[in-house]
Amino acid sequence: MPEHAVKFPGNLQRLNTMQNDHKDNSAARVVGDLKQDILQGYFAPGEKLAMARLKTRYNVGVSPLREALSQLLIEQLVVVENQRGFRVHPISKEEMLDIYQTRARIEALCVGLAVDQGDDEWEARILAAAHKMQKFSTSMESDPQEWERRHHDFHSAIVAGCHSPTLLGVRRSLYEKASRYRNLWLTDNMQQTDFFDANRKEHDQLIDALLRRDRETACKLIEHHLLSPSKALLESQTIPEKTV
Amino acid sequence: MPEHAVKFPGNLQRLNTMQNDHKDNSAARVVGDLKQDILQGYFAPGEKLAMARLKTRYNVGVSPLREALSQLLIEQLVVVENQRGFRVHPISKEEMLDIYQTRARIEALCVGLAVDQGDDEWEARILAAAHKMQKFSTSMESDPQEWERRHHDFHSAIVAGCHSPTLLGVRRSLYEKASRYRNLWLTDNMQQTDFFDANRKEHDQLIDALLRRDRETACKLIEHHLLSPSKALLESQTIPEKTV
DNA sequence: TTTCGTTGAAATGTCGACATTATTTGCTTG
DNA sequence: CAAGCAAATAATGTCGACATTTCAACGAAA
């Protein structure tokens, strides 16, 4: 009943969820849904995840729930206290900065490798993804979910060129952790036309560097590109300095 | 009853396990023990993890077991098949190379940051750890477990200088994944005096570069240092080329 | 009167037993 | 010998017993 409005975009997890609906066990489905709810802020950072509430929300028993929570525990999206149940992993500017900086460095690593290893197919996919993102830049405010999806696809197309599943797995994990903060920022202030203009310019520069195989410049650009939201987030009043 | 001999060293997980024995829930204890058993090869790659067997081995019911397995699922140490239970994550030279290369790059990233940010305390801890490792180099064959521990402490002391919990978490995860292969290699051929001589020389060079704050050299050295085991592992007969 | 500590009851999490469902094995029959 | 059906085997999910925590009410001391 207390169905909070799901405010903002997320990632492509929803797609997985859809697939999981019929196959797999119910724990896997809950993992996807619960992850969504945490990343998008339905459950606030630090909030208690009472079993009774989760049970009604996802229509499952405690066993699948505990399995799902156990997985999110490793991904550091929830924390568990001795016998006091689960809570959403708390947030802090300290952790936010660490995640964003690490993510920027990892992404730069991916981009560097991709520049060295990427082939024609790689270039083609980047341009295709960039085009789809470009086409949607006007409808950004009407459907932020779809825009975020295309934006994500664009960056994924770039790093895919590194051909390292392990490294890409690390990257995905960091992206998810960061998306909690990003969604928080989007709820804070949505109308950021100037920001998105700068964003688009950076994309153009990045594509240029990639196609020129200018590794140095590409890495610098992507690192700056991923770091800029963290600067805005530092001003946020809703994020505590350190973990409470 | 079928108590296989625990063959080889591992990491510091055992310490955690000890602490967890009295506090925490039983799932947390099983996670530590089961991880040990997988990393050290008690359970072979690809082997089926039958609930009945695990139940008797760890003296717990199925609920904590499923929780533990769920966590190792995210860490990619086990895999789950639709309704057919869990297996140990299979190994392959392909994955081995990917893990080792990624790990080397991440470690180089940590070292680079540590060189920039490390202070006197950092230098002191490195020298202390190096000394303890040095002192044990003769007893290496008698107690490989303890030697591995000191070796690990040494490298940990170096990367600790980067002061990034997130990045260090990524590093630890990759270290654990790699240790499965490393243990496999150690069982294959234990007497590798020449290898360890080269190893020690690399350590000395590394320390020298670190104290000189020669970032470039330190990163190159550590990357090469972590990559060399993978070259030996490529020759192994026991690891399949690709996942079966 | 207010504040702090204690105690008891209610709530919540943990874990194992049982039931359900899916898969595999083995036997029978064409 | 192959195909299909039946029994077993094994994993998944629900439920309930037990243990721990939380909260509130009560009482004593300042």
Side-chain angles (χ1 to χ4, degrees):
Chain A
M1 301 1 164
E3 189 76 25
H4 303 169
V6 174
K7 293 172 191 157
F8 268 128
N11 44 34
L12 8 169
Q13 194 65 30
R14 175 62 56 189
L15 207 107
N16 281 332
T17 305
M18 304 273 228
Q19 288 174 345
N20 289 340
D21 271 348
H22 54 99
K23 55 179 288 193
D24 271 0
N25 53 14
S26 60
R29 180 180 60 81
V30 173
V31 168
D33 292 351
L34 186 51
K35 189 186 283 189
Q36 277 291 306
D37 287 338
I38 292 176
L39 295 182
Q40 298 186 358
Y42 176 86
F43 292 114
E47 183 175 349
K48 189 167 198 321
L49 294 170
M51 284 295 187
R53 186 172 172 205
L54 299 179
K55 242 167 55 171
T56 62
R57 178 163 175 84
Y58 303 111
N59 291 308
V60 287
V62 291
S63 298
L65 273 178
R66 290 192 62 83
E67 280 183 47
L69 288 166
S70 292
Q71 299 189 35
L72 299 183
L73 187 69
I74 293 294
E75 296 198 69
Q76 295 188 301
L77 293 179
V78 304
V79 293
V80 60
E81 294 164 77
N82 218 339
Q83 301 264 15
R84 280 183 270 178
F86 296 87
R87 310 191 80 89
V88 179
H89 195 288
I91 62 175
S92 67
K93 288 185 182 172
E94 194 181 17
E95 190 211 43
M96 185 273 292
L97 267 181
D98 190 35
I99 290 174
Y100 267 89
Q101 287 176 352
T102 303
R103 182 176 166 229
R105 288 172 186 133
I106 299 286
E107 189 95 1
L109 223 166
C110 295
V111 168
L113 291 169
V115 166
D116 290 347
Q117 299 175 18
D119 53 8
D120 295 347
E121 182 64 28
W122 172 70
E123 295 185 358
R125 284 189 202 275
I126 292 174
L127 291 175
H131 179 72
K132 291 185 73 176
M133 182 172 61
Q134 191 62 49
K135 282 286 188 178
F136 210 81
S137 58
T138 51
S139 334
M140 199 157 54
E141 291 173 30
S142 60
D143 188 353
Q145 178 118 15
E146 177 63 18
W147 187 80
E148 173 55 27
R149 184 190 166 80
R150 297 190 181 204
H151 183 221
H152 181 263
D153 285 348
F154 168 66
H155 284 289
S156 294
I158 295 173
V159 297
C162 79
H163 301 301
S164 170
T166 303
L167 187 55
L168 289 175
V170 169
R171 172 185 177 269
R172 189 184 47 76
S173 164
L174 291 172
Y175 168 77
E176 287 179 356
K177 286 207 190 81
S179 73
R180 294 178 69 200
Y181 292 99
R182 187 173 47 74
N183 288 332
L184 216 54
W185 165 66
L186 283 174
T187 54
D188 269 12
N189 39 6
M190 184 61 190
Q191 65 304 334
Q192 291 284 350
T193 51
D194 53 341
F195 174 82
F196 286 111
D197 283 349
N199 207 288
R200 181 181 156 188
K201 193 166 288 179
E202 287 179 7
H203 285 159
D204 289 341
Q205 291 177 304
L206 179 59
I207 294 176
D208 184 58
L210 291 174
L211 296 187
R212 288 201 338 267
R213 306 293 174 145
D214 183 348
R215 180 184 177 137
E216 199 77 20
T217 306
C219 288
K220 278 229 164 55
L221 283 172
I222 197 72
E223 207 160 335
H224 177 266
H225 184 65
L226 292 199
L227 236 39
S228 41
S230 73
K231 288 161 192 160
L233 278 165
L234 269 184
E235 312 297 326
S236 170
Q237 303 295 325
T238 49
I239 307 177
E241 291 294 330
K242 304 195 95 183
T243 300
V244 283
Chain B
M1 313 311 206
E3 190 73 25
H4 302 171
V6 174
K7 292 171 191 160
F8 266 128
N11 43 33
L12 8 169
Q13 194 64 32
R14 176 60 58 187
L15 207 107
N16 280 331
T17 304
M18 304 271 228
Q19 290 175 343
N20 289 341
D21 272 347
H22 55 100
K23 54 179 287 194
D24 269 3
N25 53 14
S26 61
R29 181 180 59 81
V30 173
V31 167
D33 292 352
L34 187 51
K35 191 187 281 190
Q36 278 290 307
D37 287 338
I38 292 176
L39 295 182
Q40 299 184 0
Y42 175 87
F43 292 114
E47 182 175 349
K48 187 165 199 319
L49 294 169
M51 282 297 187
R53 186 172 170 203
L54 299 179
K55 241 168 53 172
T56 64
R57 178 164 175 83
Y58 302 111
N59 290 308
V60 288
V62 292
S63 302
L65 273 178
R66 290 193 62 84
E67 279 181 47
L69 288 165
S70 292
Q71 299 188 36
L72 300 183
L73 187 69
I74 294 294
E75 296 198 69
Q76 295 190 299
L77 293 179
V78 304
V79 293
V80 60
E81 294 162 79
N82 220 340
Q83 304 265 29
R84 281 181 273 178
F86 295 86
R87 311 190 79 90
V88 179
H89 195 288
I91 61 175
S92 67
K93 289 186 181 171
E94 194 181 16
E95 189 211 41
M96 186 272 293
L97 267 182
D98 191 35
I99 289 175
Y100 268 87
Q101 287 176 353
T102 303
R103 182 176 166 230
R105 287 171 186 136
I106 300 286
E107 188 96 2
L109 222 164
C110 295
V111 169
L113 291 168
V115 166
D116 290 347
Q117 300 176 16
D119 53 7
D120 295 347
E121 182 62 29
W122 172 70
E123 295 184 359
R125 285 188 201 274
I126 291 174
L127 290 175
H131 179 72
K132 291 185 74 176
M133 183 172 61
Q134 191 61 50
K135 282 286 188 178
F136 210 82
S137 60
T138 51
S139 333
M140 198 158 57
E141 291 173 28
S142 61
D143 188 353
Q145 178 120 15
E146 177 62 19
W147 186 81
E148 172 54 27
R149 184 189 167 80
R150 297 191 181 203
H151 183 220
H152 181 263
D153 285 348
F154 169 66
H155 284 290
S156 294
I158 295 174
V159 296
C162 80
H163 300 301
S164 170
T166 303
L167 187 54
L168 289 175
V170 169
R171 172 185 177 269
R172 188 185 47 74
S173 164
L174 291 173
Y175 167 77
E176 288 178 355
K177 286 207 190 84
S179 73
R180 294 179 68 200
Y181 291 99
R182 187 174 46 75
N183 288 331
L184 217 53
W185 166 65
L186 283 174
T187 54
D188 270 13
N189 39 5
M190 183 61 190
Q191 65 304 333
Q192 291 284 350
T193 51
D194 54 340
F195 174 82
F196 286 111
D197 284 349
N199 207 288
R200 181 179 155 189
K201 192 166 290 178
E202 286 179 8
H203 285 159
D204 290 340
Q205 290 178 306
L206 179 58
I207 294 175
D208 183 60
L210 291 175
L211 296 186
R212 288 200 339 265
R213 307 291 174 146
D214 183 347
R215 180 185 177 136
E216 199 77 21
T217 307
C219 288
K220 278 229 165 54
L221 282 172
I222 197 70
E223 207 160 335
H224 177 265
H225 185 66
L226 291 199
L227 236 38
S228 41
S230 73
K231 288 162 192 158
L233 278 165
L234 270 184
E235 311 297 326
S236 169
Q237 304 295 324
T238 50
I239 307 176
E241 291 295 328
K242 306 196 91 183
T243 301
V244 283

